[in-house]
């Protein structure tokens, strides 16, 4: 299994100085307007929200060094690359803020959502349901805090996506068990697994409490949402590979495709930075 290397901006700078540019790919996963404002010379731009559809543009036999603004989106991107079998991946801790000598905020890394590959189908679905419930709650809270009708509609639309995912997961769970399951019982069991299924290695509320100023505007919230959605996509793709039956595999791949669609919606709004 490939391992993601963590390197500081100084370590990456030394690597770039000592190696032929043809031997590696420097990948910027921020939005286009961020890249145009400032980027590391020689970097290739593929925004995180577009990466799942553009993995074929990244050369697999080269070292891939990924960076963003502060290290969160690049870690989510690194996980996607790892899950797709890329063998040599480096995440630049602290992002371009550290590269420029500024103090960066946010997480050094966002871990996978408690997936080891050894879970039963039932355990996978419980974790996935808890993940969707957490994310839905996050979107509903952001809708309550939004100051424009457009943003309220965006977060409510995203919350609706998660509601449909929850219905799909519950239906698959009952089919796998082969018996009727009370929805409340299922939800309670899923929420008990929440500690193993939290996004970014911690509950979203705890994450925001730790970094109260990092995501205090709409753009920051959208960036955080893109990290979480990318993790959900990675999770479903990994689960699909290990699914025990074809029906489960099809459902998980469908959920993965929908997460890709969510990322595109987020990307559209992230590009509306002046609104």
């Amino acid at each position: 299994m490939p391992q993601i290397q963590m390197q500081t901006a100084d370590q990456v700078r030394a690597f770039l100085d000592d190696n032929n540019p043809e031997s590696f790919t420097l990948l910027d996963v921020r939005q286009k307007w961020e890249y145009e404002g400032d980027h590391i010379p020689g970097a290739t731009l593929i925004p995180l929200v577009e990466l799942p559809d553009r993995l074929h543009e990244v050369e697999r036999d080269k070292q891939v060094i990924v960076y963003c603004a502060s290290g969160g989106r690049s870690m989510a991107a690194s996980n996607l690359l790892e899950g797709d079998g890329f063998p040599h991946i480096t995440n630049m801790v602290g992002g371009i803020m550290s590269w420029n000598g500024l103090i960066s905020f946010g997480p050094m890394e966002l871990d996978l959502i408690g997936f080891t590959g050894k879970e039963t189908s039932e355990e996978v679905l419980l974790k996935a349901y808890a993940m969707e419930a957490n994310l839905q709650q996050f979107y509903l809270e952001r809708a309550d805090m939004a100051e424009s009708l457009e943003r309220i509609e965006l977060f409510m639309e995203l919350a609706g996506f998660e509601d449909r995912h929850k219905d799909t997961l519950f239906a698959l769970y009952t089919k796998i068990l082969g018996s009727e399951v009370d929805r409340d019982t299922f939800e309670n069991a899923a929420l008990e697994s929440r500690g193993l299924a939290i996004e970014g290695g911690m509950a979203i509320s705890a994450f925001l409490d730790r970094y109260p100023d990092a995501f205090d505007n709409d753009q920051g919230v959208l960036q955080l949402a893109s990290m979480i959605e990318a993790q959900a996509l990675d999770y479903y793709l990994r689960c699909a590979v290990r699914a025990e039956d074809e029906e489960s595999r099809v459902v998980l791949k469908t959920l993965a495709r929908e997460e890709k669609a969510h990322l595109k919606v987020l990307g559209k709004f992230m590009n509306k930075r002046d609104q």
Side-chain angles (χ1 to χ4, degrees):
M1 185 71 179
Q3 296 292 317
I4 299 171
Q5 297 181 22
M6 298 292 173
Q7 290 192 355
T8 65
D10 287 341
Q11 289 174 316
V12 170
R13 198 187 305 270
F15 177 89
L16 300 185
D17 289 342
D18 294 341
N19 289 271
N20 188 320
E22 296 297 320
S23 67
F24 61 85
T25 298
L26 183 59
L27 185 61
D28 188 322
V29 296
R30 299 173 299 158
Q31 293 300 108
K32 182 179 179 181
W33 61 266
E34 294 176 279
Y35 180 89
E36 291 175 345
D38 186 19
H39 64 268
I40 300 174
T44 297
L45 173 66
I46 303 181
L48 172 62
V49 294
E50 300 176 16
L51 184 60
D53 286 328
R54 298 177 61 185
L55 287 170
H56 63 280
E57 298 180 26
V58 186
E59 295 187 56
R60 290 179 176 271
D61 59 343
K62 292 184 177 181
Q63 181 78 31
V64 183
I65 303 169
V66 194
Y67 75 91
C68 62
S70 62
R73 280 176 287 173
S74 61
M75 191 62 214
S78 296
N79 281 331
L80 282 171
L81 292 166
E82 181 192 44
D84 202 60
F86 281 76
H88 309 295
I89 311 160
T90 297
N91 179 50
M92 189 172 84
V93 178
I96 200 164
M97 295 181 69
S98 292
W99 179 272
N100 291 332
L102 302 175
I103 297 174
S104 64
F105 58 79
M108 183 180 77
E109 60 179 294
L110 296 173
D111 293 330
L112 288 175
I113 308 167
F115 180 63
T116 67
K118 299 179 181 179
E119 292 86 352
T120 65
S121 296
E122 291 89 343
E123 289 171 335
V124 165
L125 294 173
L126 288 171
K127 290 183 179 183
Y129 192 94
M131 176 183 70
E132 299 290 353
N134 281 352
L135 189 50
Q136 182 182 50
Q137 183 61 35
F138 168 69
Y139 286 140
L140 290 173
E141 290 173 356
R142 299 317 302 188
D144 287 341
M145 298 171 63
E147 297 181 354
S148 70
L149 178 60
E150 182 183 41
R151 293 300 192 221
I152 293 172
E153 291 176 344
L154 167 64
F155 291 124
M156 290 303 296
E157 179 182 5
L158 291 170
F161 289 159
E162 308 314 322
D163 209 32
R164 291 191 289 276
H165 280 188
K166 288 163 62 180
D167 289 342
T168 300
L169 291 164
F170 175 65
L172 181 57
Y173 186 84
T174 57
K175 190 171 185 66
I176 287 176
L177 286 187
S179 60
E180 290 296 323
V181 179
D182 179 73
R183 183 69 176 254
D184 288 339
T185 300
F186 170 73
E187 289 189 348
N188 288 335
L191 295 180
E192 287 178 2
S193 74
R194 187 183 293 260
L196 297 176
I198 50 182
E199 299 83 356
M202 66 181 77
I204 298 178
S205 58
F207 175 83
L208 293 174
D209 287 342
R210 180 177 295 187
Y211 306 104
D213 301 322
F215 302 97
D216 61 353
N217 55 43
D218 281 341
Q219 189 61 228
V221 169
L222 291 171
Q223 290 178 9
L224 174 58
S226 73
M227 299 178 207
I228 299 167
E229 293 284 4
Q231 280 193 307
L233 168 61
D234 183 61
Y235 179 73
Y236 287 133
L237 289 174
R238 291 176 187 246
C239 290
V241 170
R242 297 178 180 271
E244 296 178 354
D245 62 88
E246 182 60 24
E247 184 175 19
S248 298
R249 189 175 300 112
V250 169
V251 170
L252 290 164
K253 287 183 176 180
T254 298
L255 291 170
R257 287 196 299 271
E258 291 182 1
E259 296 297 355
K260 287 172 65 174
H262 297 181
L263 280 171
K264 291 179 180 178
V265 171
L266 288 166
K268 179 180 70 174
F269 280 89
M270 287 169 71
N271 283 330
K272 295 182 179 180
R273 61 192 179 100
D274 296 325
Q275 296 186 9

